[in-house]
Amino acid sequence: MNTTVLAGFVGVAGLAFADSAWAQETPQSQPTEIEEVVITGSRIPRPNLEQPTPVATVSREAIETAGTQNLGDIIAELPALSANDTVRGNSDSFGDSGGLNFANLRSLGAARTLTLIDGKRHVGGDAGNAAVDLNAIPAALVDRVEVITGGASAVYGSDAVTGVVNIILKDDFEGGEITVQGSGAESGDGREWAINGLYGRNFNSGRGNVTATLFYDHSDQVLASDIGALKNWGTIVNPANTGPADGIPNRITVPNVLTDYLDENGVILDWNTFDIISALTNDGSPVPQAQRLGTNSFAFGQFDECETCTALDDYIVLVPKTDRYGTNIRLRYDLTSNITAYLDAKYVRSEIEDFVQPSFTFGDYFIEADNAFITPEIAAVVAGRDITFGRFNEDVGVRRNDITRETYRAVAGLRGDLETGFADFKWDLSYNYGETRNEFRGSGTLIPGNYAAAIDSVVAPDGSIQCRVNVPSAQYDGYEAPEGLTSDTCVPFNPFGRQNTASAIDYVSHDSIRTHTITQEVLSGLFNFDTSKFFNLQGGPVAFAGGFEYRKETSENINDPFVKSGLSDTAPQPDAYGEFDVTEGFLEFNAPLLADLPWAYRLSIDGAYRYADYSTVGGAEAWKVGAIYAPVRDITFRGTYSRAVRAPNITEAFLPSSAGFFSVTDPCDVDNIDLDPDRAANCAAAGVPANFNSNTNASIEGFSSGNPDLEAEEAKSWTAGVVLQPRWVRGLSFTADYYDIQIDNAISLVGAQDIIDNCYDASGGLDPSFCSLFTRGADSNIDFIETTFINAAALTTRGWDFELAYTRNLEEIAEANPAMFGGLRGRLTGVLTANKLEELNFFAFADRPDEIDVEQGEIGDPEWSFKSRLTWQNGPLALTWATRYEDRVARFDVTPTPGVNTEENAFPAYVPAQTYHDFVVRYRIDNAPWIAKGIELFAGVNNITDKEMPYGLTGNGASSTYDLYGRQFFGGIRASF
């Protein structure tokens, strides 16, 4: 772990324990009365450290001084969360996930993390998926975030398999506040700015309060090519490699990995051999193609310089340009002395500019010898050979996805107290309606039939260039017009160079519009009470909480009519609609068995049970038990054991058979065939030729579908931990919690790669249940895959969570020890949260435990990670030092393979440990004459040591845990009135 940070906390601990020497001489402060609060681990009001389930918190201060308005990135810095599903994690997806921002606990999937707002559900952000888009909850609205990192289905219901992220919004505000801030990297990348206003006031003698927030924020687009450590880095086959287990890396990471088979100007290829004949310039002049220095794959290699190759990083959007604005209004009114009405309503709109690489053709079209665009120069180079071409259609444009995401949500309810002779009840009855509308405006997509007709152009009898389909005299015997033509008049399109007119581009491409509508309705009732009026255990009254919930979820995906017609090169997707409803009831209790006894300062047990009746899977049960035991007030032992459930979401259950594209690695390829002992024999039995070089860089067509017969997945999890709060070191607490989660009957889309691997890696011969789900063409390349969702997977994880926290007024230490600490002033607050990951295993098929995917120690899932924050505040001045650490991780698949040294698969084999340091300074001017309450100025530097992104990674997915930009600066002003 990082020694600098540890040294800082050792210093703080030393200061804390110096305090212990005089603790007996200093009058003890009276215990602070703790207000009744409901923390995320329970519906029963009690302080965090007095419950059996550990809860981590992201404070308002940490959110306001993060230097970004990206709530997903802020939360993902907690060691228990993964960055896999943040905006960067979801980037470059070729789908609907551009700009989406999900919480993902324990790297077990965003669908298994339940995100709540003030303890209540929130509508999902993507069609068919219940995961909440954190971009619909801007940081400007948030007061704090509480995270329970364990199964919580018994308390909160489905989707809380790995835990709950509960986002607490600002509420009951009095006065006004305006914040303006901006940030950007030293390199000029990653610029963001935001403005938000908060205003609240009490009315009717304090019986009511209205709090309103308005906000707007903007973030610039960032491409992979903008980041030096990512731009055009890739791997090539190591020419020094002599075979498996020779101690020499199979592949090495190098710069300038490009494709020489595809270029924006086109590359002329031999139709019969697929050899490169010539590259082209902008005006279509043939030039020799650059020679490779090394080979990545069939279509990619390393080059010294290549003006006629394409760099894919020019088209990889890591952070899309985003403009976001909206409002949130919260209203509270005390109808009587014990009944309060409340309303929480918001509207959030995000406008996202996303795109992927242009459409391309990769040897798909035969070019006739009489093609009008074959110049004498091209003819001379071709020399009578049959030709085709590889081309990125950049003149048509990138395939753009302009996305508008709108979220509407309103929660209305009543809460209050009810005093009876039996017990005093607190209750809450609410109705929650949420709706997400996503609109996708696409452009730059080809119409394959028109494209085929347009590039097959000839010189007509009148000397003009026309499409052969419109020139009968040029139509040879057996000629057939391309399939999928529109009714538009064909306009010739030149595939050589970039010389096409706007009318030609319009003819071969189209625009599209798709829409999603996701709705959620929730009617819920909650209550809690204790037995103090009629029954008390030795440790106090038994506390109960319970309630009911009725929830209905719908999802509608309406696709573009032209795309549905099948004339586009976008896979035709049918309209999709699905819905389900669930009725649930739960009961929770806390029984304080003993208190304030010798060796039993506190002993209590907890329990919860929930029953849910789904319209899809029927009945489902979840439960948990827990206990805490404190022999003395300074040390507490705690633990929980729970059974959690997750019902299938709408996509998993109802997705109609939908066309799509898959990217896979062919296990029968000569570079992969030795990675499993069964592959060689099985590939040969399937008819794949020896020394086969596959072409899997292009997308492979296929179909995916939902499965209405899915069952709810189940998880067993347990935690065991200790809480230390020594009386002789006031303000210090330390927690250590062990967790173990096992998910069985897990719902998973059988991955295209899993299907292919399980076909050929099966012991005793080919596995027909998987081999039947894909086909190979005449050239032996995989050309079609079919997938669906099944209850077959298993996931396991275990590890340790640690938290060290200390807060103290330094003047108290100085007064007690003036000789040593006489100059100390201010207040010191520190917290360090760490995770030690011991296991993270995915089993694509639970009944095949030998086919394991070990993730622990790979990129995104380090063995050690921590986040620390140390703040010193003295009057108007506050200084904060925050640090984040990610342990060394492997660039290769760490899953053990018999007889194979997987570390040889990559060089360098590891990403070194990364440590990031951030500093923030805040200064407050109270009662400024021009502002009633004052202003706060804040400025900071993130990644002050200018740690660069590790080279050769992708920048998205699991790699999004790393900082992109190097040193970044931010600052702003917050005015209160």
Side-chain angles (χ1 to χ4, degrees):
M1 297 178 69
N2 183 267
T3 55
T4 304
V5 177
L6 288 182
F9 269 90
V10 167
V12 173
L15 190 63
F17 280 94
D19 182 22
S20 68
W22 50 266
Q24 300 303 319
E25 302 174 10
T26 305
Q28 293 286 341
S29 303
Q30 293 298 316
T32 302
E33 183 178 349
I34 299 173
E35 296 181 5
E36 189 176 65
V37 292
V38 179
I39 47 84
T40 303
S42 172
R43 296 284 191 182
I44 298 174
R46 53 190 152 154
N48 178 25
L49 295 182
E50 295 182 11
Q51 63 151 342
T53 306
V55 177
T57 301
V58 182
S59 68
R60 179 177 180 177
E61 176 200 357
I63 294 169
E64 291 181 342
T65 59
T68 179
Q69 291 294 294
N70 187 323
L71 186 62
D73 283 355
I74 296 171
I75 296 174
E77 288 192 357
L78 283 175
L81 282 105
S82 165
N84 287 0
D85 289 286
T86 59
V87 171
R88 273 178 56 195
N90 285 318
S91 65
D92 193 41
S93 63
F94 277 76
D96 299 337
S97 60
L100 287 174
N101 209 350
F102 298 137
N104 181 354
L105 275 163
R106 305 294 188 204
S107 291
L108 295 177
R112 298 182 177 92
T113 299
L114 177 60
T115 300
L116 304 172
I117 306 297
D118 294 321
K120 292 179 168 58
R121 290 203 174 239
H122 189 284
V123 64
D126 190 24
N129 187 348
V132 176
D133 181 12
L134 295 174
N135 277 347
I137 313 162
L141 310 181
V142 179
D143 184 69
R144 69 186 186 278
V145 180
E146 297 173 343
V147 180
I148 173 175
T149 53
S153 284
V155 177
Y156 292 103
S158 184
D159 307 326
V161 173
T162 56
V164 172
V165 174
N166 189 16
I167 299 169
I168 313 298
L169 301 184
K170 297 173 182 177
D171 193 13
D172 234 359
F173 195 79
E174 179 75 15
E177 185 177 276
I178 296 176
T179 303
V180 179
Q181 69 180 72
S183 64
E186 191 172 48
S187 62
D189 299 311
R191 289 174 298 184
E192 299 181 16
W193 65 273
I195 180 169
N196 62 78
L198 175 66
Y199 180 76
R201 63 169 297 180
N202 294 327
F203 58 92
N204 199 5
S205 302
R207 291 182 63 181
N209 176 272
V210 59
T211 299
T213 306
L214 289 170
F215 70 91
Y216 170 75
D217 57 58
H218 167 88
S219 58
D220 279 357
Q221 172 188 276
V222 180
L223 303 179
S225 56
D226 295 330
I227 310 301
L230 302 180
K231 184 177 182 179
N232 303 334
W233 284 84
T235 64
I236 61 170
V237 176
N238 185 1
N241 182 38
T242 61
D246 61 356
I248 300 173
N250 301 337
R251 302 181 75 87
I252 55 177
T253 301
V254 297
N256 295 330
V257 174
L258 313 168
T259 174
D260 48 357
Y261 272 81
L262 290 159
D263 185 59
E264 291 89 346
N265 299 322
V267 178
I268 301 175
L269 308 173
D270 188 294
W271 175 260
N272 299 302
T273 66
F274 225 63
D275 292 336
I276 295 174
I277 297 175
S278 177
L280 297 163
T281 62
N282 281 11
D283 63 3
S285 300
V287 292
Q289 184 59 290
Q291 296 298 306
R292 295 184 180 185
L293 302 178
T295 295
N296 166 278
S297 60
F298 173 77
F300 289 80
Q302 184 192 21
F303 297 85
D304 181 15
E305 296 239 351
C306 185
E307 296 295 329
T308 52
C309 298
T310 291
L312 295 188
D313 286 332
D314 291 338
Y315 304 112
I316 295 178
V317 178
L318 298 180
V319 179
K321 178 185 174 184
T322 302
D323 291 279
R324 183 174 55 166
Y325 53 88
T327 184
N328 190 85
I329 298 174
R330 314 198 82 186
L331 177 66
R332 169 192 59 79
Y333 189 77
D334 297 332
L335 299 176
T336 68
S337 61
N338 55 6
I339 299 178
T340 299
Y342 61 89
L343 173 69
D344 180 11
K346 76 168 180 180
Y347 169 75
V348 177
R349 178 184 175 99
S350 297
E351 297 173 353
I352 301 156
E353 294 184 10
D354 198 16
F355 64 82
V356 295
Q357 63 196 33
S359 60
F360 62 90
T361 178
F362 192 38
D364 305 299
Y365 302 98
F366 182 81
I367 300 298
E368 301 287 351
D370 61 347
N371 189 285
F373 297 115
I374 296 179
T375 64
E377 292 80 8
I378 292 176
V381 171
V382 169
R385 297 159 74 180
D386 294 334
I387 63 170
T388 181
F389 63 96
R391 187 179 198 269
F392 273 112
N393 296 302
E394 190 180 46
D395 46 2
V396 176
V398 294
R399 284 173 284 180
R400 182 170 296 279
N401 224 4
D402 289 334
I403 307 170
T404 300
R405 302 188 187 276
E406 294 180 291
T407 301
Y408 307 80
R409 181 176 183 263
V411 181
L414 297 171
R415 61 173 177 255
D417 303 322
L418 176 63
E419 296 183 6
T420 70
F422 170 75
D424 296 338
F425 292 84
K426 292 184 180 295
W427 56 271
D428 187 321
L429 182 65
S430 65
Y431 173 73
N432 175 351
Y433 179 80
E435 182 174 316
T436 298
R437 299 176 185 173
N438 298 330
E439 181 182 81
F440 306 85
R441 291 184 172 269
S443 61
T445 307
L446 281 192
I447 306 171
N450 287 9
Y451 189 82
I455 62 172
D456 187 16
S457 295
V458 296
V459 178
D462 63 0
S464 63
I465 296 178
Q466 297 184 33
C467 304
R468 188 187 306 272
V469 70
N470 294 333
V471 184
S473 62
Q475 295 171 4
Y476 46 81
D477 291 342
Y479 172 80
E480 293 183 359
E483 294 183 358
L485 287 171
T486 67
S487 59
D488 302 310
T489 302
C490 183
V491 181
F493 188 95
N494 186 350
F496 307 120
R498 275 178 278 185
Q499 308 162 75
N500 287 293
T501 63
S503 58
I505 291 170
D506 288 344
Y507 177 69
V508 301
S509 63
H510 73 92
D511 297 338
S512 63
I513 298 178
R514 298 176 293 117
T515 59
H516 294 170
T517 303
I518 307 108
T519 68
Q520 179 187 77
E521 292 182 87
V522 184
L523 178 64
S524 65
L526 302 172
F527 68 87
N528 67 75
F529 70 94
D530 64 43
T531 62
S532 58
K533 285 190 173 183
F534 64 92
F535 175 74
N536 287 276
L537 298 169
Q538 191 281 328
V542 180
F544 289 92
F548 72 90
E549 181 175 281
Y550 171 78
R551 176 164 52 98
K552 182 178 181 180
E553 308 259 6
T554 71
S555 177
E556 181 182 69
N557 185 357
I558 303 299
N559 283 289
D560 185 83
F562 185 81
V563 173
K564 286 190 292 186
S565 73
L567 297 178
S568 168
D569 72 344
T570 299
Q573 302 285 324
D575 293 341
Y577 181 84
E579 67 174 54
F580 71 88
D581 62 79
V582 55
T583 303
E584 305 178 78
F586 84 96
L587 184 66
E588 180 184 7
F589 77 90
N590 167 246
L593 302 179
L594 301 173
D596 300 317
L597 295 176
W599 301 108
Y601 175 73
R602 183 182 295 113
L603 173 63
S604 68
I605 59 173
D606 288 66
Y609 174 81
R610 176 179 289 260
Y611 181 81
D613 183 14
Y614 288 88
S615 60
T616 50
V617 298
E621 296 177 293
W623 50 263
K624 78 164 188 175
V625 294
I628 63 171
Y629 170 57
V632 294
R633 63 179 292 182
D634 312 273
I635 182 170
T636 301
F637 300 97
R638 62 186 181 182
T640 64
Y641 184 79
S642 66
R643 177 184 187 268
V645 295
R646 184 180 77 88
N649 61 35
I650 290 174
T651 291
E652 292 164 341
F654 301 114
L655 178 71
S657 185
S658 304
F661 297 94
F662 304 97
S663 296
V664 298
T665 298
D666 194 331
C668 295
D669 184 276
V670 65
D671 291 331
N672 306 316
I673 200 165
D674 292 327
L675 297 181
D676 185 277
D678 298 304
R679 283 187 182 178
N682 286 337
C683 289
V688 180
N691 299 316
F692 173 62
N693 283 292
S694 66
N695 173 23
T696 54
N697 292 100
S699 298
I700 297 171
E701 293 184 4
F703 283 91
S704 299
S705 61
N707 182 354
D709 298 322
L710 289 171
E711 300 174 353
E713 63 184 29
E714 303 174 0
K716 299 289 180 63
S717 64
W718 62 275
T719 65
V722 61
V723 180
L724 301 178
Q725 295 175 289
R727 281 168 288 180
W728 58 91
V729 189
R730 284 178 287 164
L732 180 70
S733 67
F734 172 77
T735 65
D737 293 279
Y738 181 80
Y739 62 89
D740 187 303
I741 302 173
Q742 178 172 329
I743 303 174
D744 297 314
N745 213 33
I747 300 168
S748 65
L749 180 67
V750 186
Q753 191 67 58
D754 288 328
I755 289 172
I756 298 166
D757 288 348
N758 279 281
C759 168
Y760 297 111
D761 294 350
S763 300
L766 294 163
D767 188 332
S769 62
F770 293 103
C771 297
S772 62
L773 298 178
F774 67 95
T775 60
R776 290 184 181 270
D779 60 357
S780 294
N781 279 298
I782 298 167
D783 58 11
F784 182 83
I785 305 173
E786 185 175 358
T787 69
T788 191
F789 293 90
I790 58 174
N791 286 105
L795 305 92
T796 63
T797 186
R798 56 186 176 87
W800 287 88
D801 288 326
F802 302 96
E803 183 172 281
L804 174 67
Y806 179 69
T807 181
R808 194 62 198 276
N809 288 324
L810 299 182
E811 286 88 346
E812 296 177 4
I813 300 176
E815 290 173 3
N817 290 270
M820 184 178 299
F821 301 109
L824 291 178
R825 295 290 184 272
R827 183 174 182 84
L828 189 68
T829 304
V831 61
L832 183 148
T833 305
N835 177 258
K836 171 68 164 61
L837 180 62
E838 295 190 346
E839 178 182 291
L840 180 60
N841 295 334
F842 293 171
F843 300 86
F845 305 96
D847 60 351
R848 299 183 64 174
D850 56 314
E851 298 293 338
I852 183 175
D853 180 6
V854 176
E855 296 289 322
Q856 177 219 351
E858 293 184 0
I859 294 172
D861 298 301
E863 182 177 348
W864 274 103
S865 59
F866 72 73
K867 170 79 174 178
S868 68
R869 186 177 183 86
L870 189 63
T871 297
W872 171 76
Q873 183 167 1
N874 186 25
L877 178 65
L879 303 175
T880 297
W881 170 32
T883 301
R884 181 165 59 92
Y885 172 84
E886 299 280 331
D887 205 358
R888 185 185 81 155
V889 290
R891 293 174 180 257
F892 57 92
D893 185 351
V894 301
T895 304
T897 302
V900 177
N901 179 9
T902 56
E903 188 171 340
E904 289 185 14
N905 291 339
F907 180 85
Y910 296 92
V911 177
Q914 306 288 308
T915 305
Y916 303 102
H917 299 275
D918 308 330
F919 287 88
V920 184
V921 57
R922 291 175 290 146
Y923 189 80
R924 183 167 184 84
I925 305 173
D926 290 320
N927 300 317
W930 59 93
I931 296 178
K933 291 184 179 180
I935 63 173
E936 182 182 68
L937 305 173
F938 58 93
V941 183
N942 288 340
N943 191 0
I944 197 169
T945 59
D946 200 24
K947 179 78 71 174
E948 293 185 352
M949 179 85 184
Y951 72 88
L953 301 182
T954 62
N956 54 13
S959 300
S960 55
T961 189
Y962 298 117
D963 183 89
L964 270 181
Y965 311 115
R967 188 180 295 114
Q968 303 138 58
F969 301 92
F970 68 91
I973 182 171
R974 183 173 295 109
S976 303
F977 54 91

